[in-house]
Amino acid sequence: MTTAEPLRITHIGGPTTLIEVGGWRLLTDPTFDAPGRRYAFGWGTSSRKVTGPAIPAADLGPIDAVLLSHDHHGDNLDDTGRALLTGVDTVLTAVSGARRLGGDTQGLRAGQNTRLARSGRPTIEVTATPCRHGPPLSGPIVGDVIGFALRWAGQQHGALWITGDTVLTRRVRDVATRIPIGTVLLHLGGVRFPITGPLRYSMTARRAVQLCAALRPHTAIPVHYEGWQHFQEPRDVIERAFTAAPPSVRDSIHWLSPGETATVTA
């Protein structure tokens, strides 16, 4: 019987987390710039960063791979994050992002697989999962985004899934039918911009409850809800939605404030 590997997750801020398992150190969506700057997201949208990272990039230590949902928005990859990529052997992202970043960056389309393999460590199978970073037909405007499902030997509850920036769609919901999920990092925030009115560009708390009801994960960790002006649903809004959810959903939520680390059963 394969021994389960302890899974440690540290929330650094925004969408940025450090994932440690079996000797691997993986980083998601590196955002390490100081607060105060306004970033343009295209088509008249912009946002100001209001909170810096809980852990500076210089204090991270070695990173084996970066899982980058998309490269073209500053709240998922900023200038300090781009500099960090140059010292990482493996960077996985969407196909269009890999073309922009160049070098050895590996591009994946939703449904494609790759592996992280190194002697003395468990091999991690990485599957790119679908995202839609906005309303229907917004793809050409908002650009390509992917999530990541990670599987390795010994997982007791199922894969680790990083949803990436997405609203809830049928394809996103269908991940639960194709991949058993044990732990999910939920990119939330209910992003909106004044120029586009009520349109949402990331998942709301209400939709996250619906997704978790379909997934039935052992552990659900909200990220991507604080630190920026365009995040419209802070922690208290998310907490209310999950408090009102059925027990199987409510009990799965595990909060990590920026800077906190949790060891979860994968």
Side-chain angles (χ1 to χ4, degrees):
M1 183 176 178
T2 304
T3 302
E5 295 282 357
L7 170 62
R8 285 169 46 91
I9 299 174
T10 302
H11 187 195
I12 295 171
T16 310
T17 65
L18 176 64
I19 297 166
E20 299 173 275
V21 61
W24 290 102
R25 304 183 83 246
L26 314 176
L27 190 69
T28 67
D29 287 0
T31 55
F32 291 94
D33 285 357
R37 174 179 162 189
R38 179 168 289 276
Y39 296 73
F41 296 145
W43 296 84
T45 62
S46 67
S47 181
R48 187 177 301 278
K49 186 173 186 177
V50 297
T51 305
I55 302 172
D59 294 346
L60 275 182
I63 299 297
D64 298 302
V66 169
L67 308 175
L68 176 60
S69 65
H70 58 301
D71 71 300
H72 50 282
H73 292 155
D75 61 330
N76 295 84
L77 181 67
D78 57 21
D79 291 345
T80 307
R82 286 178 185 274
L84 181 149
L85 296 184
T86 63
V88 178
D89 289 338
T90 302
V91 178
L92 305 179
T93 192
V95 170
S96 59
R99 288 196 295 264
R100 287 187 291 265
L101 292 171
D104 295 326
T105 306
Q106 182 177 351
L108 297 172
R109 292 182 174 85
Q112 286 189 313
N113 299 322
T114 190
R115 290 187 173 188
L116 302 176
R118 188 169 297 181
S119 177
R121 299 181 186 178
T123 296
I124 299 178
E125 181 181 18
V126 182
T127 301
T129 60
C131 292
R132 195 184 76 205
H133 197 3
L137 306 178
S138 64
I141 297 174
V142 299
D144 295 333
V145 182
I146 57 172
F148 302 92
L150 278 56
R151 288 175 281 191
W152 58 87
Q155 288 176 325
Q156 296 181 20
H157 299 291
L160 166 63
W161 183 25
I162 303 102
T163 65
D165 289 10
T166 186
V167 296
L168 184 58
T169 67
R170 179 185 56 78
R171 293 184 69 210
V172 172
R173 194 192 302 268
D174 284 351
V175 170
T177 67
R178 296 183 287 106
I179 304 173
I181 302 298
T183 302
V184 57
L185 300 185
L186 294 164
H187 285 219
L188 302 181
V191 166
R192 289 190 305 185
F193 298 97
I195 196 170
T196 54
L199 299 179
R200 299 283 186 172
Y201 295 88
S202 70
M203 207 178 308
T204 63
R206 183 171 65 88
R207 294 298 193 186
V209 167
Q210 295 173 5
L211 178 60
C212 286
L215 292 177
R216 303 183 66 84
H218 180 266
T219 305
I221 300 175
V223 298
H224 192 271
Y225 61 87
E226 47 69 44
W228 291 80
Q229 287 182 331
H230 63 303
F231 293 164
Q232 300 298 312
E233 293 192 346
R235 176 168 172 167
D236 63 325
V237 173
I238 302 167
E239 285 182 328
R240 286 198 298 270
F242 275 91
T243 297
S248 61
V249 174
R250 182 176 65 239
D251 295 345
S252 69
I253 285 293
H254 188 116
W255 285 99
L256 284 180
S257 297
E260 289 187 336
T261 299
T263 300
V264 302
T265 304

